[in-house]
Amino acid sequence: MLFPGETVRLLREVPEHSLPQYSEGRVAAVRRDPEGPVSAVEIEFYLDSRVVKAELPLDSVEMVISNSGLDHTAVMWAVQEPPEKVVECAMHSMLNHGFLMRDGLNVARLYYDREERWWKWGDKHVDPTGAYVVTSAPAWDGCVVAFSGPQRYHLEFRLQGRGELTVLLHENDAAFREQSRTTGPAMSLTRVLMNLWAEIGARYCAFPVATPWLWDEDWQSLLRPPLYPDLFLIPRAELPKSGAENYRLVQLAQDRAMLTVLPVKSAPHEVGFERSDRDLNLDSLRRCKALGEKYYDQMYETRLGATGLYSDAKDAFYDAIAAAKKLGLTEEVEQLSARLDHIKAVFRSQFS
């Protein structure tokens, strides 16, 4: 199964479109037979500064690892083990729990640009077993590894970059929507995160984490309200002091805890459940508020460009206000509007 936006490459040439073997393109649409199975995919290729569209059989292409479609990210930080052990333990955690290496180009090396402070994708490799990653990746700045399965899990290692060693796990939007609503998918995700978190020896895990945090890597700010993530794995003594009113607290062994809004079960005898649209809208409101505040904080990082971050902050607060109106939270709308007015005034006085 392929999703629109994913990157694929041709397994054989397509002469009628002048496309050589291994040409890479983006999935634009998926065609299905009346019975349901996928019969063909429409792919957009960029050839000589023009777009070439081709509808091809599913077996004529294979996926290529890329950063498109990685919509939701878990971050694990404060890892005490050395890179070689972290890479080995993380890879074993995924492989031992049923996630095979994806076919085709499934590993991308990462380079950290220390002058510009950003992670650059480099060479892509085929690693059928994960052995190449385990033996080679500890000497790299980092890498991304693609696994099988509809979640499109991608394990990312940031080993030698801007800050501390960090492990990230990406997945697609379709998986996240199911996990946010119903217990079964939520429990599957939680098991993956808890296993990975424990086996690499991380102190903290947060999921999901949005782009501004992935850029500045200030992971500790994720613990300050308003809280963006839907799930935390954290030492019990370091639980957020405020902003977690709608979260469930699950006590774990060794003085650790889970704080989450996902529909997880805290004990085997509990009955699974499905969250309401109102619950999901409250999640959206909370995340929009957190995004707005994060972009506002980053406005003072002058190298980022205050004008663009100001625009992002405004958009986040407009989305939060719209969500609050939809929920009928009149007082919340007033507070958000006042906060937005304050941010506008600060920008006009300090950055214009």
Side-chain angles (χ1 to χ4, degrees), residues 295-296 298-299 304-315 347:
Y295 284 128
Y296 176 53
Q298 288 184 337
M299 281 169 50
L304 292 176
T307 301
L309 290 166
Y310 171 59
S311 178
D312 290 335
K314 286 194 301 179
D315 288 344
F347 181 80

Side-chain angles (χ1 to χ4, degrees), residues 1-6 27-33 36-43 55-56 58 152:
M1 177 61 182
L2 295 172
F3 296 97
E6 292 184 320
V27 176
V30 178
R31 310 297 182 202
R32 294 181 177 274
D33 290 332
V38 174
S39 58
V41 287
E42 182 182 317
I43 305 170
E55 188 166 306
L56 302 169
L58 187 61
R152 298 294 193 262

Side-chain angles (χ1 to χ4, degrees), residues 29-322:
V30 178
R31 310 297 182 202
R32 294 181 177 274
D33 290 332
E35 295 79 13
V38 174
S39 58
V41 287
E42 182 182 317
I43 305 170
E44 294 179 344
F45 298 90
Y46 292 91
L47 186 66
D48 299 328
S49 301
R50 61 190 177 90
V51 177
V52 175
K53 293 185 177 182
E55 188 166 306
L56 302 169
L58 187 61
D59 62 3
S60 66
V61 298
E62 69 176 4
M63 293 189 65
V64 175
I65 189 169
S66 73
N67 57 4
S68 62
L70 307 185
D71 306 292
H72 303 281
T73 301
V75 176
M76 301 177 193
W77 73 99
V79 180
Q80 301 303 316
E81 301 294 345
E84 56 271 17
K85 185 171 182 180
V86 171
V87 172
E88 181 178 9
C89 289
M91 291 295 293
H92 286 169
S93 179
M94 297 299 292
L95 294 169
N96 291 344
H97 291 92
F99 297 97
L100 304 177
M101 298 291 288
R102 199 173 68 193
D103 292 338
L105 293 170
N106 54 16
V107 176
R109 185 170 178 177
L110 296 179
Y111 297 88
Y112 186 69
D113 187 320
R114 284 158 179 80
E115 182 175 344
E116 296 296 327
R117 291 193 290 177
W118 69 291
W119 290 91
K120 178 182 178 181
W121 282 53
D123 300 334
K124 298 175 182 178
H125 307 274
V126 177
D127 185 6
T129 65
Y132 179 66
V133 171
V134 170
T135 57
S136 301
W140 299 346
D141 288 349
C143 68
V144 181
V145 185
F147 292 90
S148 62
Q151 300 91 343
R152 298 294 193 262
Y153 284 134
H154 283 55
L155 192 60
E156 178 177 345
F157 298 98
R158 296 185 178 183
L159 303 173
Q160 302 177 56
R162 177 178 184 173
E164 61 183 301
L165 186 157
T166 308
V167 177
L168 301 87
L169 186 69
H170 309 278
E171 69 170 7
N172 65 14
D173 186 60
F176 176 74
R177 289 198 303 270
E178 293 182 348
Q179 294 155 2
S180 296
R181 186 176 285 276
T182 58
T183 296
M187 291 300 297
S188 295
L189 168 71
T190 303
R191 283 190 288 269
V192 170
L193 294 180
M194 291 186 68
N195 289 331
L196 190 56
W197 173 60
E199 291 184 34
I200 68 173
R203 187 172 182 84
Y204 309 100
C205 172
F207 171 84
V209 176
T211 300
W213 286 276
L214 299 181
W215 189 93
D216 71 13
E217 301 187 25
D218 181 10
W219 311 126
Q220 288 299 119
S221 68
L222 290 163
L223 304 177
R224 296 195 295 268
L227 302 175
Y228 184 92
D230 290 355
L231 178 145
F232 294 94
L233 299 171
I234 189 172
R236 202 174 303 167
E238 299 182 49
L239 289 166
K241 297 296 189 293
S242 61
E245 293 78 16
N246 294 324
Y247 287 73
R248 295 178 66 205
L249 176 62
V250 181
Q251 305 287 357
L252 304 176
Q254 301 176 338
D255 294 322
R256 298 179 297 178
M258 178 195 306
L259 194 65
T260 187
V261 297
L262 299 179
V264 300
K265 298 193 295 184
S266 58
H269 65 270
E270 288 189 4
V271 178
F273 61 98
E274 182 170 319
R275 300 178 72 214
S276 67
D277 289 341
R278 182 176 178 81
D279 291 334
L280 300 179
N281 289 331
L282 286 169
D283 289 348
S284 178
L285 170 59
R286 169 179 48 80
R287 289 194 292 263
C288 288
K289 288 167 58 178
L291 270 180
E293 295 294 348
K294 182 65 174 179
Y295 284 128
Y296 176 53
D297 289 343
Q298 288 184 337
M299 281 169 50
Y300 293 91
E301 174 64 70
T302 54
R303 66 181 299 279
L304 292 176
T307 301
L309 290 166
Y310 171 59
S311 178
D312 290 335
K314 286 194 301 179
D315 288 344
F317 274 100
Y318 287 137
D319 289 343
I321 291 168

